[in-house]
Amino acid sequence: MKFVYLGLLLAALTPFAHAADSEPQDITGTTDKGEKVVLHPNGRWKFVDTAKAAEAKEIAKQFPENQGCPSNMQGGFLGFGRCIPQGDKDYNRGSMSGKGR
């Protein structure tokens, strides 16, 4: 009976052993203009050429979605999440339990 449990334990742990080997890797590629880029597993990408990457970063700073939340909003911690206006009735609606209303 002990061997059955040991076999079940090993069968259950096998996927975890293979998961470490299948970590997503960066992919290198080229744009249609022949510029080398690196594609990250999270969907982001960057130019391999540092001068080109710095130029792209400066261009990206011009767009409001890359500048974080305005000062009168909450959320957007370290560039993640969404910006929520203070007093937004759909977000700041308190407990949904019905107590205290």
Side-chain angles (χ1 to χ4, degrees):
M1 194 67 169
K2 291 180 184 178
F3 293 113
V4 172
Y5 290 129
L6 181 62
L8 290 174
L9 178 65
L10 289 175
L13 294 177
T14 301
F16 295 109
H18 293 295
D21 295 339
S22 63
E23 287 290 320
Q25 301 292 322
D26 291 343
I27 300 170
T28 57
T30 56
T31 65
D32 58 345
K33 297 180 181 177
E35 300 156 329
K36 299 224 181 270
V37 294
V38 175
L39 307 171
H40 299 292
N42 63 1
R44 295 187 180 262
W45 64 274
K46 66 178 181 179
F47 287 104
V48 172
D49 181 16
T50 55
K52 195 77 164 165
E55 180 183 336
K57 188 175 183 178
E58 290 301 316
I59 292 171
K61 286 182 182 179
Q62 297 173 2
F63 293 93
E65 60 266 18
N66 296 330
Q67 296 176 1
C69 293
S71 61
N72 62 342
M73 293 197 176
Q74 59 191 17
F77 180 71
L78 295 176
F80 297 101
R82 60 177 207 217
C83 300
I84 301 161
Q86 292 183 3
D88 185 340
K89 63 180 177 157
D90 293 329
Y91 181 75
N92 298 320
R93 55 188 175 180
S95 173
M96 297 300 289
S97 69
K99 296 178 183 177
R101 289 186 180 195

